[in-house]
Structure formats: C-alpha cells, structure tokens
Amino acid sequence: MIHSIVWLKHECTVQTVEGRRNWGILERLNAGEVVIGDGGFVIALEKRGYVKAGPWTPEATVTHPEAVRQLHREFLRAGANVMQTFTFYSSDDKLENRGQSLKYTGAQINEAACDLAKEVASEGDALVAGGVCQTPSYLSCKSETEVKAIFKKQMEVYIKKNVDFLIAEYFEHVEEAEWAVQVLKTGGKPVAASMCIGPEGDMHGVSPAECAVRLVKAGSQIIGVNCHFDPMTCVQAVKMMKAGVEKAGLKAHYMVQPLAYHTPECNCQGHIELPEFPFALEPRTLTRWDMHKYAREAYKVGIRFIGGCCGFEPYHIRAVAEELAPERGIMPPGSEKHGMWGSALEMHTKPWVRARSRREYWENLMPASGRPKCPSLSTPESWGVTKGHADLLQHKEATSTQEMGHLLEMQKKAKSSA
Amino acid sequence: MIHSIVWLKHECTVQTVEGRRNWGILERLNAGEVVIGDGGFVIALEKRGYVKAGPWTPEATVTHPEAVRQLHREFLRAGANVMQTFTFYSSDDKLENRGQSLKYTGAQINEAACDLAKEVASEGDALVAGGVCQTPSYLSCKSETEVKAIFKKQMEVYIKKNVDFLIAEYFEHVEEAEWAVQVLKTGGKPVAASMCIGPEGDMHGVSPAECAVRLVKAGSQIIGVNCHFDPMTCVQAVKMMKAGVEKAGLKAHYMVQPLAYHTPECNCQGHIELPEFPFALEPRTLTRWDMHKYAREAYKVGIRFIGGCCGFEPYHIRAVAEELAPERGIMPPGSEKHGMWGSALEMHTKPWVRARSRREYWENLMPASGRPKCPSLSTPESWGVTKGHADLLQHKEATSTQEMGHLLEMQKKAKSSA
Amino acid sequence: MIHSIVWLKHECTVQTVEGRRNWGILERLNAGEVVIGDGGFVIALEKRGYVKAGPWTPEATVTHPEAVRQLHREFLRAGANVMQTFTFYSSDDKLENRGQSLKYTGAQINEAACDLAKEVASEGDALVAGGVCQTPSYLSCKSETEVKAIFKKQMEVYIKKNVDFLIAEYFEHVEEAEWAVQVLKTGGKPVAASMCIGPEGDMHGVSPAECAVRLVKAGSQIIGVNCHFDPMTCVQAVKMMKAGVEKAGLKAHYMVQPLAYHTPECNCQGHIELPEFPFALEPRTLTRWDMHKYAREAYKVGIRFIGGCCGFEPYHIRAVAEELAPERGIMPPGSEKHGMWGSALEMHTKPWVRARSRREYWENLMPASGRPKCPSLSTPESWGVTKGHADLLQHKEATSTQEMGHLLEMQKKAKSSA
Amino acid sequence: MIHSIVWLKHECTVQTVEGRRNWGILERLNAGEVVIGDGGFVIALEKRGYVKAGPWTPEATVTHPEAVRQLHREFLRAGANVMQTFTFYSSDDKLENRGQSLKYTGAQINEAACDLAKEVASEGDALVAGGVCQTPSYLSCKSETEVKAIFKKQMEVYIKKNVDFLIAEYFEHVEEAEWAVQVLKTGGKPVAASMCIGPEGDMHGVSPAECAVRLVKAGSQIIGVNCHFDPMTCVQAVKMMKAGVEKAGLKAHYMVQPLAYHTPECNCQGHIELPEFPFALEPRTLTRWDMHKYAREAYKVGIRFIGGCCGFEPYHIRAVAEELAPERGIMPPGSEKHGMWGSALEMHTKPWVRARSRREYWENLMPASGRPKCPSLSTPESWGVTKGHADLLQHKEATSTQEMGHLLEMQKKAKSSA
C-alpha cells in the first residue's frame, strides 16, 4: 500500500493507490480512512441534457450510457472512492408516476446503472454502492408491506450485480428509512442510511439524534444526511446524529453528502422550498474554496465518508479530496489539472491574476453575486404540507389546470403570510 | 427541408432537420437563419478535470478525447450548429510558455481537436469551425511576420482537416485580430472574427465601431465579440459594431459568444479583472432564464450567430435554442429532457414546485445569492497595464518569488486606490 | 373622555384626549390601554450634536436644554405618552469614568432632566418616568451595597421631582436589574424593569423567562426589554418573558423599546457587537413601514407599553401610534403632517410619486441599500468577555496605547475565527 | 482673525472665528475660503413632524418656529456658514396648489423664515441666504412673465429682510433657472444658482456644461447643483459645469449640496424616480465617513461652497467641516461632542468598541444593510414625462380616483418594461 505523498512547492505529486483494491467500505472506515463520495448525478446530468427536471428519473443509464459513464469517470478522477449507481427515483412506482414506465422497467434502468458504475469503478480505487430512496408509495400512504416490496425489488438487482454495499438515501421520514434499511439488511452487504434532513429533523419533527438511533437500531453501519441543505448545515445535522448515537451507547460510522448550494435560510424541508429551486439556484453554488472549509469541518466532526449531492461538479469533489490530502496521503488523479489553492495561476497571462496564485487570496475572498437587483436571501415557501396531506398524494397524471389553480392560490397565500 | 414545429401544450415536438446538411455558414446566414453556437470548452472542462486553470491549454484533445467528445455531443444535443475545434491557446508559442510543449505539439493537439469536432458534427446538424486566438508573441511585442507565422501554422491544420469555416476569436487588440484575419483569408474558407471587447473598445481604446470596420476591411464576413463580458454587455458591443459597419457603408454578419457570468461592473478588460476570476465566479452564473432574455435581445439587434463562451453549460445553449425555436422552427434534441419555461415541473413530487411550472414564475424571479455576507458587486482590479508594459511580457517560467513580491505590491496599490 | 376618532378618506382627524390627565401608568395599563413610549435620546442627540459617542453621557440637560426640550416635544407630538428623563449613564460612577464629573454632578444633570421632561409632558397627554440603568460599578465587580447606593442616589432626585413612575432599564445582567428594582421599589412609585437582552437571555445565559420571573418577584409591575436588538427580536424576547411569567403563575404588564436598526445576525450582546456600531448603522435604519409591522406584532403578543430606543426618530414613534390608532381611538398630533400609509403623496408634483399614495405600495416595497459593494449581513464581533473579565473593568482613563495594542490583537483574533 | 488650530491627540481644540463677521459670501470665496453650507430642512423636519411629505411646504416657520430655529442652530453648531431661509416651495402658486394658501401667504411664511435664519446666524459665523426654487407655474407652461413675477414676489421679502445673498436652487430646467437668476440679479445681492441635475443634464438633455455657461451668463456668481443625486454624482456634475465654464472663458465660484443618500442607479430625474422615494430611503443614508470622502473630493475638484440637501442631518455637515478642518483652520463648535474619526470611543464601556477608535477602522468598513431579503439596487421608475406632458400639469386638487387609476396603469407599464 503506497500512502506516501510528495509535496513539491504548492502541489503534491499525484500517486495512485495500489494493493488495497480488495478493501470494502467498512474495512476502510474501520481503519480510520477517509472515503470520498461522488457528487449528485441528477442535477449534473440535467444541465448536460440527460435528465428531465420534474420527473428526475434516471433512464439515461439505458438511453445515453456514454453520458452517465463520463460523469462517473469525472468523479473518479476527482478522487471519489464510491461510484453510486445512478438509480435515483428508479423504483417502478415512481417511474409509473412519472410517465417513464412504458419505455423501461426499473430493473432495466438499474441493471444498466450497475454496469456503468462497476465499469468505471474498476478503472480506479472505488467501490460500487447500490442505492434506494424514498418512494411515492410511502408519500401516498401505502402499507409497510407494499413499500418494502419496492425496496426489495431494487435491492435484488444490486445483489445480482454484486455491488460492494448499499445505501438507503434521500429519506424525509425516518419511518420509511427504517423500512428501507430493514429490507437492505437482508442482502448481506454493508448498509448505509442517509436522510435528507437538517438540524430540525424529519418532516414529522423527529430529531436528527433520534433518527440516527433508530437507523442504527434498524441495522445501518453508516448513517448520515444528504441533499436538501448546504454543507455546513448538513455537517451540523450529522454532528447531532453522532451525539445521539453516542448518548445511546451505540456505534456507527458517519457520512455526509450535502448540496453544493448555500441554503442558510432553509426550514426543515430544505432547498426544495426555496423559490429558486430547481432552475435558478446558480448564484448559490459553492466555490471550490467553500468545499475546502466543508471538508475540513466534516473531518473535524468525525465524519469519514464525505461526498456530495445536487450541485456538486467534479471540481467540487476534487477540492474535498485536496483539502484532505494530508490526512489521506494521496491526491486525486484530476489534480494533475489543478494547482492547490490556485497555485497554477502562476502561469496565467495577466500579472494581476498571477498575483492570485496563493491560498490567502482565495481563502478570504468574499465573492460578489454580480446581481445588484437581487436579494441575498429568499423566503422559503413553507406550505407546511407533509405526508398524509391530500396535496402530497402522488398521481400518474401531470398537474391539471384545476389543480394548478388550487396550487397558485396556495402559493399566493404562502407568500402573503411570509 | 423540414422546418415545421408542432407545439403541444407548453412544448413543441422535437424534430430533426434533414436535407440541409450541405449548407455552409454563409449560406445559412445569408438565408436569414439563426445559427446557434456552442459554449466555452476551457472553463467547462476545467470543472470536469481536464483543463488546468492558469495555462488553459487544450491538450485534453490528445490525452482525454472521450471528455472532449462528450462535451461536443452535449452542445450538439443542446442545439448548437457549430462545433468549434477545442484549440484555444494551442499555438506553439503559447504551449511553450505554458510548459506543455514537451509533450505535444500544437499540430498534434489541433489535429485531434479537428477529428473530435468533425466526428460529433456529423451526428447532427452542425458545422465545424477551426479557431485561432491571441498569442503571447503579440503581447511580447514580436513582429507582424512572427505573429502571422503562428496563425498560419494553425490554419494549415484546419485546411488539411477541411473544416467548414475559420474563426479568429478572443483578441484584445484589433491590430492582432486584423493580422489573424489576413492570414485566415488565405485559406479560402469563410472567416469570422470575434474580439473579447466590450463597449469601451479594445485595450488601446479603439472603439467597437472602428474595430468592426477594420475587421470587415481585413476580410471577415462575420464579426462580433466573445468572452470577457456578460451577454447583455456583449450584445451592446456588437450593436455598436453593427452601427459602425453600416455607417461605413459596409456589410457583415454578426456573432456573439458572451460569458455566462454577470459582469455589470467590469471595465474594458472584462471579467479577467474581477477579484473572483477564475475560481469564485459561481455566484455570477446566469440562469437559463437569463439566457432567454439574452437570446431575444441578440436576435432583436440583428445578430444571427448566437452562442456562448466561458461559463456556458449545455443547458445554457439549449435555453438560447428554445427561446428562438419559434423563429427557427425547431427545438433542440436535448429539449426532450426539458419542459419549456419549466413546464415539466408539473410532474414534480411537491405541490409548491408544481406551482412553478409556468413562464411567469421564472421570468420574474429575482434569484437570491444565498450569501448574506458577500457584496453584490466587486471592484475590478484595473492595473492599467496593456501591451507594451513590462509586466505583460510573457515568459516560459512560472512566476518567481521576486516577481510575486512585485505583483503583490501592485495589487495592494490597486486596492487602496479603488 | 373623548375616544372618538373620525376617519376621513385615508386619514382620521386628530383629536386630543381630555379628562384623563390624572391617570398613572398602571391605571392605563390595567384598563387595557396602549401606552406609547418615546424614542432613544442618546443616539438622536448624538446626531444633532449634543451627546458624545463613547462616554454617551447626558450633560446636555444642563448645557443645551433647548435641544433636549425640542426632542421631548417631537416625541410628544409623535404620540408618546411617556417622557423619560434624559438621564442615561448619569450616575456619578459613570460620569467620573467618562470625564464629566468635574463639571456637573449626576444630581445636577438629573434634576435638569426632570424639569425638562415635566415641562413638555404638561403640554400633552404624557407621564414622566425617571430612569436608572446599568453601572460601571457592577461591571467592575463592586458590592451589592455599593451598586445599590448608586441607584438610590439617582432615585432620590426622581422622588424629589415627583415623577410619575420609575424605570430600571438597559441591564445586561439580571442580578443588577434586580438590585435596581429593589431600590426603586422603596420610592413608592410604580416600577418598570427593562433589560437589554434578546431571546438568548442575559450575559450569563439566564433565559428571558427566568429574568422575567426574577424581575416580577423583585417588585416590577411592568417588565420587558429595550435596546440591543431590532423590534421583531425584542418582541420575541418579551414574548418569552411573558410565557415565563404566566408559567410561574405570576402577573405583569409588558413593555418593549427596541432599536430602530435591523440586527438579524446579532448574538446575545446585540448590536454593540456589530462592526457598524456606533457610526455606520445608517443602512440598518427601519422605515416607518417597518414600524407599522412592529407595532402590530407587539400588540398581538400582548405588549401594551410600546416605544423605542436607539435609532428611533420622532416619525418612527408616530408610525407606531398611527398603526395602533384604531385600537387607541386617537391619532398623534404630529399626524397633521402625515398622510396614513403615504396618502399625502396625492399632492406630490410628480405623477409617479402620486401613484405611491397607497398602503399596498409601501407595505410590499423591499428597499434597496444603494450600496452594491456592501454585504447585507456582518459578522458580529463576539469576543465572549462578560462581567468578571479583566477587559471589562471600567476605568477613568481613556484607552492607553498599550491597551489599544492588546485590543487590536483581540480584534484580529476574533475576525480570523469568525 | 484667528485661524489657528491646535491638534491634541486625535482632536483639535475648537475655536471660534472672530473679526470676520462682516465678510460676505463673495469675499470669502474670493479669498479661497471653504464655505460650509447647511443641510436640507424639508426631509429633516418631515422626520421631526413639522413638514408634510407630498406638499412639502414650509409653513412651520409660522406654526412651529421653535422647531425650525432648533434645526438652524444644530447646523450652525455643526459648522455651517450659511443659514438658508426655510422657504422651499413657498411661492404662492405652489402654496395654492398644495392647499396651504388659505392659512398663510408666501410672504408671511418667508418673512418668518428670514427672521429665524437671521436670529440663529447672529449666534455664530454664518450668512443668511434667501432662496427661490422651481415653480408649478413653469411646469404648467405659464409664461416667462408670470413665472418671473413669482420669483420677484419672493425676492422682495428677502431684500426687505436684508439677507446676505440669494440662491436660486432646485431647478430641473435650465430655462427656468435663468429666469430666476435674471430676477434675483435685480436685488443687488450676490446670486448663487444651483440645479437639481446630474451628469446627464437637465430634463431636456441640456448638459451640465451648457447649463453652467447659461447660468453664469444670466448673472450668477456661484453655480452648482443640489439635491437629486448622491454626493459623488453631484460633485461629478459640478466638475462638468466647471469644465464648461472654463472652456467658455468665463469665471464662477462653485457650490454643491447633494443628497445624503446613495443613488448609484439613478437616471436624469434622480432619486425622485427611486421606488424608495420618499418613505423608504433609510438604507441609503450616508454615514459620516462617506461624508469625509465627499468633502475631500468636492474640495479637490475646486468646489468651495460645500453643503448638503435632503437626508443631511447635523452630524453629516459636521463631518464635512471636520474633514476640511486642516484647510479651514477651525473645527465646528459641535465637535466638542465628537472625536475625530471615532477617537472618543476610547471612552466606551466595551473593549471591542474601544478598538474602533481609529481612522483606519471606519475608513475601510463596508457597512451591512441588515436586510438580506432586500436588493442593493432598485430599478428607477423612468416614466419619461417632462415639462409639457399632461401628467405634469399641476393642479390644486389631490389626485382623483380616476387619475390614480391612470397612474397605476402607467406604473405597471413602467415596471414591466424595466
């Protein structure tokens, strides 16, 4: 195992890790290693033209495998040690609700996703994780049996494809997350569970600490949060989870895969409530320097599986890997195209840009929005509807004109009371 | 030729154009068609891990062709009709100055770039454009003969590879742009010329109107601006060019390929002077809705070659193509994954997001930065050094410690006088 | 008693209240009336040139009585029912520490203050309140006996001058506030107690609820908060006080006299920690329309003594009185010079300003800062020093060069850890 | 004449000027002295409750002389050398249009204004200036004879009361300003002329340079601008005036009396077009430190009559006087209550505030707005109506419901095209 790292000037030489390829996720975490996650595929591929905002389903694994493969490769190159299968929302109940069911089954999409993740993982030091997430069936108040059947169907593909471990992620309700973990546990692989909650807890107000304890008791070896909030908020939520687990005398590993968007004003439902979601979040995008702070803070708190979700581009993951290079002893392959803390600007044409080739400059910069007529914070649209509310029952049809009238009425009301 | 377009609900069915593949750039523009350009490769591939900020050179055409090919495909899918060869800064004098020369020659990089652009162009309705840009030799005060020799060497590759037309782009000094056009004209292909200037004109204060006249007289059939400024500012500059050309009794077609960053406070040197360049520009990124306004404005002004530069992702180009779909009679292929003006949000899980599936919502939204401790505008670092100043002489070596001391001194001075 | 109010168009005719002049503060509050307080004198008179920022002492009652009298009159005209003596920081220990002691004693300043307040109160429907506030002696860890002696000396002037009631205000530590109330109770007048705390409680972390209970038990009939936070935050703190008092089975009246500055980012020490304090708070100043929202919210929460502190100008108090005119049945005298919700703009020269003569316009306006290079929030300087820390020991001398060196060092440290 | 100034530590001792009381405005300016103007009365007294926004008329000189006198005194104390009569909009045609005519004539109001200004001027080193401003008659297209008669009537009062000089101020159209100057010249006193224009010139596009030349030719010895724009913009406009005068081979003294509001986004009509005018301008208010920069810049440009207009409070004028104390050799009386550059904070209770008692701190501070949901710039309402447009004809009646409907329609149109 080569863990040496040679720092030359501002950079360290990039070295690949050998002889460790047989270590699984738990071996790595048990050994105290930092595992770098990948970033979110849904938003990245939406921008590239392969995912449709609204349905958000991953049929591109079948229709445009080259695009999915390329994104996997970029995250691998950025330092990711986990290739998560691009299987978000690919349960049959969701596909049906989103109008994709006629073309491809969940199984078809998920098998293709496994193949792509495995292909790229084999090109570097990465594990493959098969993922399930919250279902429209749960939101529509289907039974535990029905919901569990959905998770089981997805898991069977991952077991057949022999992924390295399983992740139950993006759950707003701890109950559904527990159900998912209970199903995944039957697969015999390590199970990670990640909720899309912040410090206020799940949609019914269950605290991060209590969620954490319940997930560990359900069988997760790794717990944490993903999506919905910015990095610092997510780290804060995982910190609360960790405190809960420790107080309960339990043990777990911790993971965090936040948004790459600043969301300081969000309530418990996260960025989904921001008026800018999903098509005007650009100004909130974190810089690579924000990512350095995030990675450092996550590490300090004791989180060792550190990745990203919506908004993360490969360079964001690379920044995480670069910040933790001293601890990990390796630089990501993609750092051949990046000078630590901007050092490669020494080769820039303009002298004033060359003057920026140093850590102090970027660490202290407060970037301007370039939008003097825009505010810095928005008012989240907190409609206060949770599972059980009629407006959350999922259906197959697009919003009807009548339903839209009702929604616009509610939007108006929410605004005037803000 | 099929130009029909069928609008169903909010979307139009996507149809491909046939039987027109043999039209060149001038035939299209002469016929009054809108030609959609692609977006900038340098910044997009930097984020994906294949270009190094500082040198900014395009050796990825040789080392990682799959990444370059994928980006071409995404722009094609977004509606681009021009695949520009990824040959920015790939002249031998630049490569030598940026430390890449030992590995690959400019010719090697440029040939690979032509192959990739041609391969993807053949998959859809696109032309291939070979590009040259400003040289370190000019900045270092080399002779007209020396500088022209550099352009000639690059052009010879494009002619050999039989590209559809040539672009001389990213010139800060009109003199050097004229030299480039004079060389490219000898290739026998249509020539476009695009300067990276705003309404204040080139680095020596030559107005957009005068630059335009000189470029037309040098032989360009298409003129315009690219990079350095946000879309509305670039459109304004091209408008001034057009007025100049018309006042001089000349004729030309017009192109614009702006940044995807808001830069309202920039001086003549553009975003290069912003403190956020190049690693903290994220908050300035335009939304797709900003792109609708840009495309409409460019069209109104009479510009018909409309594309993008640094910061453009495929979805930005798609938004340009969607805005001009009524005029063009076609939707881009990638629109299968996008509902016009957010209409596909009708399929979103949350009711309040479904309420956003309409043009009025997105058109009027003022997106928040999410950064309450950051300003909305910065102070550009206007050092006032132009060609001829010692600090702009280009050299092969990275900035030395002594030089850096001098630069930090100048930076401090520039700040205190701002 | 005339409580009728006649609304003509947008305005109501201004009528004075007669026959009630003999009611005291408790009679009014017991009857459920709203009592309008005045605004802060220290900051208002600093801007007018009669108070020195730093010492903040009120010797202007002796040296420039016309200026103090005029400000009293403006608040009376704006609708204030309480003329608080301008006696802030006029205890002898403070005066000595601030270099005023040689010229005037606390007794001289306070007697003059009483005369001015009484003179103006007699011109309208107002009561006179004599005030004491926190002492440097407490901060410097003097004994209970010593501190109480200071309050007693001040109170004796108020009793001699026969003010209507007493206020112990601007206390950061509940212990010192209790001591003050215990002393004031011996005067035989109604006693109000107001702390300069927010929802986080006093400087040692005692919650608003607990502070409230202790103040009521010490003998205050009216309790609340003043200064240090913006109106909505102060109302929130008083709400917590009220909940505490009610939970304890006690009874009290409630008062609130907040800043007229927006302070959303403040920690427990309030606006004193803002980098803008005290000379760059201008952009945070509340508009009159913000005051309408404040007055309504305070009323809803059950607060009936509603006034202001630092930053309040007469028009801010008038806005409070106008918002509550329907409940109170009277408009303030100064409303003869103001159209409710901007209605008098109907007489403006420019038509677009006339179009603003309506409530909806002003209620929904988001005022711009006009400062695109400034942020919207600051980082409070939370040094974390409280009573007992050496840096808080008060002394007579101005900050020495050596001390300043130490302070700048601490400032630097606080910034880098922010 | 005592011009000595003694600097002790950060402050200079305050000394009064003697033996020069007989110098007029021209003697002072000819000698190269800096003359400090006062600030705007209309907005200051609106906040204090004595002026009604909309009509904006100055009947308070008769009804509440104590309030007007006090404001004069505060400006005198702040260092003002000019007491301008509070006679804004007090021509009979305006009073009639604004519903005040039945109570007091213009002559009554203006006589009272002269008495107040003279009384306070005699308490210090100040001159009295009688002022006239633009008339509704001109806006309503009355004849030169009619308009001039109005100015004459006002002037006769000033001559009778023997003021020191005359000011024609707040003119949007150079033609009307010329008429005013021509009338005032007949009074035999020095005449100053000040337009409320910015760098774009008057309402009909006459440039500052041309306005300046015409005003000098009409007989003004002092020319400049007041109101409508922030200090730096006003200084810029006066600079253009000065260049015009010098280019024409003429001579003049220069004055500037800007807003105390930041207005970077304003068009030719100035702050009147800002959505925040007149009741939500608070966040734009300049700090005292902004005033230091203004005073320095005005001085550098060669302006020697430096004062303020709307938004100026006494402490703003004091800051102007303190910045120019080295040049003038005196500190204003009010500086006894102010430490230069915050030096008196050395006496503050809290150590971190004591650390701010230095120039560097305040000079570089970027003050936050405290309003994260508000933008930093607004879109001016540029309706494009100027003299001659029906909507600008002035009438006696308040806006009717029908007219309001028309205005709201226009407002909507202006917004949607912004």
Side-chain angles (χ1 to χ4, degrees), chain C residues 198-405:
Chain C
E200 294 183 38
D202 93 343
M203 291 310 102
H204 290 119
V206 183
S207 73
E210 187 181 337
C211 289
V213 168
R214 286 170 63 173
L215 293 173
V216 172
K217 287 188 175 166
S220 295
Q221 291 103 334
I222 309 164
I223 57 168
V225 303
N226 74 300
C227 206
H228 276 206
F229 296 92
D230 59 29
M232 290 313 204
T233 307
C234 284
V235 168
Q236 176 61 16
V238 177
K239 199 177 168 181
M240 293 165 78
M241 283 183 146
K242 189 162 173 271
V245 168
E246 288 169 359
K247 203 179 156 188
L250 300 170
K251 283 194 78 165
H253 295 294
Y254 301 93
M255 68 183 290
V256 65
Q257 308 224 85
L259 299 177
Y261 301 116
H262 288 290
T263 63
E265 71 271 57
C266 282
N267 299 326
C268 75
Q269 194 105 223
H271 77 310
I272 307 289
E273 289 186 347
L274 289 176
E276 293 87 5
F277 177 84
F279 292 136
L281 291 164
E282 283 83 348
R284 297 177 179 267
T285 309
L286 272 78
T287 67
R288 59 195 77 195
W289 318 118
D290 291 327
M291 290 299 172
H292 277 266
K293 288 175 191 163
Y294 151 56
R296 183 53 51 200
E297 184 66 15
Y299 185 84
K300 266 192 203 161
V301 161
I303 304 170
R304 289 296 176 268
F305 181 169
I306 303 172
C309 197
C310 299
F312 270 74
E313 297 286 337
Y315 75 104
H316 287 125
I317 289 295
R318 183 177 61 194
V320 169
E322 291 188 348
E323 173 64 26
L324 298 173
E327 282 78 12
R328 304 178 73 225
I330 46 166
M331 286 286 277
S335 291
E336 67 169 325
K337 293 293 183 189
H338 192 243
M340 276 287 274
W341 289 105
S343 63
L345 293 181
E346 288 183 343
M347 304 301 285
H348 195 89
T349 307
K350 309 286 183 183
W352 60 90
V353 180
R354 292 204 295 277
R356 297 172 191 166
S357 57
R358 56 208 170 82
R359 175 170 181 161
E360 199 202 357
Y361 181 86
W362 294 108
E363 207 165 33
N364 296 307
L365 184 73
M366 299 299 270
S369 72
R371 291 172 169 83
K373 295 189 179 175
C374 292
S376 60
L377 296 183
S378 285
T379 304
E381 286 198 77
S382 296
W383 289 21
V385 299
T386 47
K387 189 208 162 192
H389 192 288
D391 286 345
L392 270 178
L393 292 178
Q394 304 295 301
H395 46 60
K396 199 170 162 168
E397 301 76 20
T399 310
S400 66
T401 309
Q402 190 190 356
E403 192 188 344
M404 184 58 79

Side-chain angles (χ1 to χ4, degrees), chain B residues 261-278:
Chain B
Y261 302 116
H262 288 290
T263 63
E265 71 271 57
C266 282
N267 299 326
C268 75
Q269 194 106 223
H271 77 310
I272 307 290
E273 289 186 348
L274 288 176
E276 293 87 5
F277 177 84

Side-chain angles (χ1 to χ4, degrees), chain A residues 120-392:
Chain A
V120 179
S122 74
E123 297 170 5
D125 178 32
L127 302 166
V128 173
V132 302
C133 66
Q134 67 180 13
T135 62
S137 296
Y138 182 78
L139 267 190
S140 296
C141 304
K142 295 281 170 67
S143 71
E144 179 175 345
T145 310
E146 287 169 299
V147 172
K148 283 187 162 175
I150 291 162
F151 296 134
K152 183 151 184 285
K153 207 166 159 188
Q154 290 174 273
M155 183 193 63
E156 282 165 353
V157 172
Y158 304 139
I159 298 303
K160 176 175 141 193
K161 289 289 182 179
N162 196 27
V163 301
D164 296 304
F165 68 104
L166 300 168
I167 303 185
E169 68 161 9
Y170 197 75
F171 285 92
E172 289 177 309
H173 300 86
V174 67
E175 182 185 51
E176 191 184 12
E178 287 176 302
W179 294 353
V181 170
Q182 286 157 5
V183 172
L184 296 189
K185 281 304 284 183
T186 66
K189 304 271 185 186
V191 174
S194 173
M195 295 183 67
C196 50
I197 61 172
E200 294 183 38
D202 94 343
M203 292 309 103
H204 290 120
V206 183
S207 73
E210 187 181 335
C211 289
V213 168
R214 287 171 61 174
L215 292 173
V216 172
K217 288 187 176 167
S220 295
Q221 292 102 333
I222 309 164
I223 57 169
V225 302
N226 73 299
C227 207
H228 276 206
F229 296 92
D230 60 28
M232 290 314 204
T233 308
C234 284
V235 168
Q236 176 62 17
V238 177
K239 199 176 168 181
M240 293 165 78
M241 284 182 146
K242 188 161 174 272
V245 168
E246 288 169 359
K247 202 178 156 188
L250 300 171
K251 282 194 78 166
H253 294 294
Y254 300 94
M255 69 183 290
V256 64
Q257 307 224 84
L259 298 177
Y261 301 117
H262 288 291
T263 63
E265 70 271 57
C266 281
N267 299 325
C268 75
Q269 194 105 223
H271 77 310
I272 307 288
E273 289 186 347
L274 288 176
E276 293 87 5
F277 177 85
F279 292 137
L281 291 164
E282 282 83 348
R284 296 176 180 268
T285 309
L286 272 78
T287 67
R288 60 196 75 196
W289 319 117
D290 291 327
M291 290 300 171
H292 277 266
K293 288 176 192 164
Y294 151 55
R296 183 53 51 201
E297 184 67 15
Y299 185 84
K300 266 193 205 162
V301 162
I303 304 171
R304 289 295 176 269
F305 181 170
I306 302 172
C309 197
C310 299
F312 270 74
E313 297 286 337
Y315 75 104
H316 288 125
I317 289 296
R318 182 177 62 194
V320 169
E322 291 188 347
E323 172 63 26
L324 298 174
E327 282 78 11
R328 304 177 73 225
I330 47 165
M331 286 286 276
S335 291
E336 67 170 326
K337 293 293 182 185
H338 192 241
M340 276 286 275
W341 290 105
S343 63
L345 294 180
E346 289 183 342
M347 303 302 285
H348 195 88
T349 308
K350 309 287 184 183
W352 59 90
V353 180
R354 292 204 295 277
R356 298 173 190 165
S357 58
R358 55 207 171 84
R359 175 170 182 159
E360 199 202 358
Y361 181 86
W362 294 108
E363 206 165 32
N364 295 308
L365 184 73
M366 298 298 270
S369 72
R371 292 171 167 84
K373 294 189 180 175
C374 292
S376 60
L377 296 183
S378 286
T379 304
E381 285 198 78
S382 296
W383 288 22
V385 299
T386 47
K387 191 208 161 190
H389 192 287
D391 286 345
L392 270 179

Side-chain angles (χ1 to χ4, degrees), chain B residues 207-237:
Chain B
S207 74
E210 188 181 337
C211 288
V213 169
R214 287 170 63 173
L215 292 173
V216 172
K217 288 187 174 165
S220 295
Q221 292 101 333
I222 309 164
I223 58 168
V225 304
N226 73 300
C227 207
H228 276 206
F229 296 92
D230 59 29
M232 290 313 205
T233 307
C234 284
V235 168
Q236 175 62 16

